[in-house]
Amino acid sequence: MNQTFSSITNMPPNSLRAVMANPDVPIKVKTEKIYEASKGVMKEFFENNTSEKILETSEEVMEMMEECMTTAEAGFHGISEITSKDYYTYTHSVNVGLYCMTFGVKSKMSKGDTRQLSLGGMLHDVGKSKIDHALINKDGKLTDEEFLKMQAHAAEGGQILSGMHCFASNVVRMAS
């Protein structure tokens, strides 16, 4: 694992993997640890203006979540218990990725398709990093002009991900 990943999770580089591999650790604990790591990845991304290294880390986090999901009977109810705590933009991104992964796993999609679907879900709003935070967090209805600015996040997201040249076109399309 890279330096960025370990600093986000506040764990030594192999500790999270060790927790995931330990059969004595309850599935709820594993899922919560991965969820916190996922939120850390997205929080770091949104707060530090689109670091490619951070986005590349998201694939590693999703891989561990997928391992956790496929070895347990975690379904939409289990995921909803974890995701209901808060709903900031970065948390929303992780939540969408988890729901996409749950759908892929439960629908028996191939491992590759499930990973692309969950990554696309997790990264679907990366373009919001280019939108003014005050607009994203505005209470009440957006004006027509604000709505147009907000819509621009999709095109921005597609440009960010396609410019990295490391995500499949399906993932990029989910952010576009």
Side-chain angles (χ1 to χ4, degrees):
M1 283 182 225
N2 62 42
Q3 175 91 20
T4 305
F5 181 74
S6 62
S7 66
I8 290 169
T9 61
N10 295 319
M11 299 177 85
N14 293 319
S15 293
L16 190 57
R17 279 238 181 248
V19 167
M20 297 307 296
N22 186 340
D24 296 328
V25 176
I27 188 66
K28 184 172 178 155
V29 171
K30 289 180 180 183
T31 307
E32 287 173 352
K33 295 252 184 233
I34 289 293
Y35 185 71
E36 290 304 315
S38 300
K39 282 195 329 187
V41 167
M42 296 312 296
K43 182 177 186 218
E44 182 75 17
F45 172 78
F46 280 108
E47 291 181 358
N48 292 309
N49 297 319
T50 66
S51 164
E52 289 185 10
K53 189 181 275 189
I54 296 297
L55 288 183
E56 289 169 359
T57 301
S58 66
E59 190 163 8
E60 187 173 10
V61 172
M62 278 300 189
E63 179 183 321
M64 283 190 277
M65 181 57 85
E66 184 180 19
E67 289 170 16
C68 184
M69 293 283 295
T70 56
T71 60
E73 287 301 313
F76 286 105
H77 176 71
I79 294 302
S80 69
E81 286 181 11
I82 295 163
T83 62
S84 65
K85 294 177 184 165
D86 54 58
Y87 218 71
Y88 297 107
T89 298
Y90 55 86
T91 305
H92 165 73
S93 296
V94 173
N95 292 349
V96 172
L98 292 174
Y99 280 109
C100 287
M101 179 179 293
T102 303
F103 178 81
V105 168
K106 295 303 178 183
S107 299
K108 303 201 183 319
M109 291 172 66
S110 72
K111 189 172 189 164
D113 287 347
T114 298
R115 183 161 298 141
Q116 284 185 23
L117 180 63
S118 55
L119 271 171
M122 186 170 175
L123 301 176
H124 80 283
D125 268 346
V126 296
K128 283 188 176 178
S129 65
K130 301 291 187 181
I131 306 296
D132 181 23
H133 288 287
L135 180 59
I136 292 171
N137 297 317
K138 178 183 176 183
D139 287 333
K141 188 176 179 180
L142 300 177
T143 66
D144 290 343
E145 183 181 332
E146 289 170 332
F147 186 72
L148 288 174
K149 286 180 183 177
M150 187 64 82
Q151 283 182 315
H153 88 276
E156 292 281 356
Q159 289 175 351
I160 290 167
L161 295 184
S162 65
M164 292 176 65
H165 306 290
C166 66
F167 292 107
S169 61
N170 290 342
V171 174
V172 174
R173 276 196 309 273
M174 288 178 74
S176 299

